[in-house]
Amino acid sequence: MYDFSSRVAVVTGAAQGIGRAIAEGFIRNDVKTVVLLDYNGDLVKATAAELDPEGKRALAFKCDVSDKENVRGVFAEIYEKLGRVDILVNNAGINRDAMFHKMTADQFRSVVEVNFFGTVNCASEVILKMREQEFGRIINISSVSAHGSVGQTNYSASKAAVNGFTRSLALESARKNITVNAIEPGFIETDMLRSMPEEIYNAKLKAHPAQKFGSPDQLANAVLFLASDEGAWVNGNIMIVSGAGRVV
Ligand SMILES: NC(=O)c1ccc[n+]([C@@H]2O[C@H](COP(=O)([O-])OP(=O)(O)OC[C@H]3O[C@@H](n4cnc5c(N)ncnc54)[C@H](O)[C@@H]3O)[C@@H](O)[C@H]2O)c1
């Protein structure tokens, strides 16, 4: 159990999957407030109501992280309502897989816009205030695919960019008591994974050293550690959370 009772956390892409599990983890660990952002406005509101039926700890906003103006407006509202953001988890992500020779420019660009620029957009709304308050935790959800993956030139490039951004921002922010880390999940059982063709899913499962995939909760536990006071000295790290799958 961590003590997040004085912390305000924001989790992007929190309507379902890994982001939902992270928001749930914060609530389980008595967070003061967790703000769930997602581009699916109805689902993120329903998720927040399910995780926090009394409406005391969770707030939800529709937000497209790839839209800088939208992100700016939503964070302005968060600061107006809550006064601070202590923890930012950049989790929103998409994949639009295809071999590069068949990939459209739009397929490439949309993935980079959400996965990389979405991370940049949200970080840029909190970084100044985190420096002023001399406390912050930024956790970016990358992927083991950052190191190369067939059919994922767009996704892989977007996540490799997240890794570089993470390391550099950590160097810039360490003096201000702000940590910036990334997590590279291996395969985690969510809709994103289930969108894979069945034969590829089965082949990946067979190839996994543990013969199983991870759960969103298992990934969330690593995020909670990085967000906690106990994780203070882990900074500028790219942490693989994959049950030994595709360790690179
Ligand atoms: N599931 C895996 O195996 C796996 C592996 C490695 C990395 N990841 C990463 O983990 C993160 C979460 O993935 P997941 O498996 O839970 O996926 P998911 O598809 O189940 O959930 C992603 C969430 O992000 C939201 N989203 C998408 N675009 C958005 C946007 N522009 N603005 C705001 N919200 C947006 C979706 O509505 C959805 O609720 C992603 O960054 C993904 O790349 C997942």
Side-chain angles (χ1 to χ4, degrees), residues 4-248:
F4 292 120
S5 57
S6 65
R7 303 292 186 217
V8 173
V10 176
V11 184
T12 72
Q16 63 176 45
I18 293 169
R20 177 189 162 117
I22 295 167
E24 192 172 12
F26 278 122
I27 292 173
R28 217 173 35 243
N29 285 270
D30 278 342
V31 75
K32 186 175 178 198
T33 312
V34 60
V35 183
L36 291 80
L37 304 185
D38 204 285
Y39 144 105
N40 186 338
D42 291 339
L43 188 59
V44 77
K45 282 179 186 147
T47 299
E50 249 178 67
L51 298 183
D52 177 38
E54 291 177 20
K56 287 188 178 152
R57 292 180 193 279
L59 269 181
F61 291 93
K62 177 178 165 65
C63 178
D64 176 353
V65 296
S66 68
D67 178 342
K68 191 160 176 54
E69 285 314 305
N70 186 193
V71 170
R72 183 165 290 165
V74 167
F75 274 87
E77 220 174 313
I78 294 170
Y79 277 107
E80 198 185 304
K81 274 205 165 81
L82 304 172
R84 58 191 288 125
V85 173
D86 301 293
I87 301 160
L88 169 66
V89 184
N90 284 307
N91 165 77
I94 59 169
N95 60 333
R96 299 284 179 268
D97 299 352
M99 296 294 276
F100 185 60
H101 62 274
K102 294 183 183 165
M103 191 178 283
T104 64
D106 191 53
Q107 250 174 314
F108 204 105
R109 204 172 298 271
S110 60
V111 168
V112 175
E113 286 288 347
V114 175
N115 297 2
F116 177 55
F117 283 108
T119 297
V120 174
N121 290 340
C122 294
S124 74
E125 292 306 317
V126 300
I127 195 67
L128 256 178
K129 294 219 167 61
M130 282 183 175
R131 291 179 73 89
E132 280 162 22
Q133 74 198 18
E134 299 206 8
F135 181 85
R137 298 274 188 271
I138 298 178
I139 298 125
N140 299 323
I141 306 302
S142 177
S143 171
V144 291
S145 299
H147 305 274
S149 175
V150 173
Q152 294 199 307
T153 48
N154 50 356
Y155 186 80
S156 179
S158 72
K159 297 297 191 179
V162 165
N163 288 353
F165 175 69
T166 299
R167 284 211 173 93
S168 301
L169 189 58
L171 291 173
E172 290 184 9
S173 312
R175 270 193 206 191
K176 296 288 182 185
N177 203 22
I178 299 166
T179 68
V180 188
N181 292 286
I183 292 182
E184 291 184 347
F187 295 116
I188 303 288
E189 286 283 6
T190 66
D191 281 5
M192 183 180 276
L193 190 64
R194 281 177 223 116
S195 69
M196 242 183 229
E198 201 181 333
E199 65 277 16
I200 299 180
Y201 177 98
N202 289 334
K204 304 260 187 213
L205 188 58
K206 210 170 151 205
H208 196 290
Q211 300 290 289
K212 60 185 173 193
F213 295 139
S215 71
D217 277 346
Q218 287 171 322
L219 203 280
N221 286 334
V223 174
L224 295 176
F225 169 67
L226 293 174
S228 71
D229 288 353
E230 286 79 354
W233 202 237
V234 183
N235 198 2
N237 232 68
I238 313 292
M239 182 193 277
I240 298 174
V241 179
S242 70
R246 290 196 51 196
V247 171
V248 281

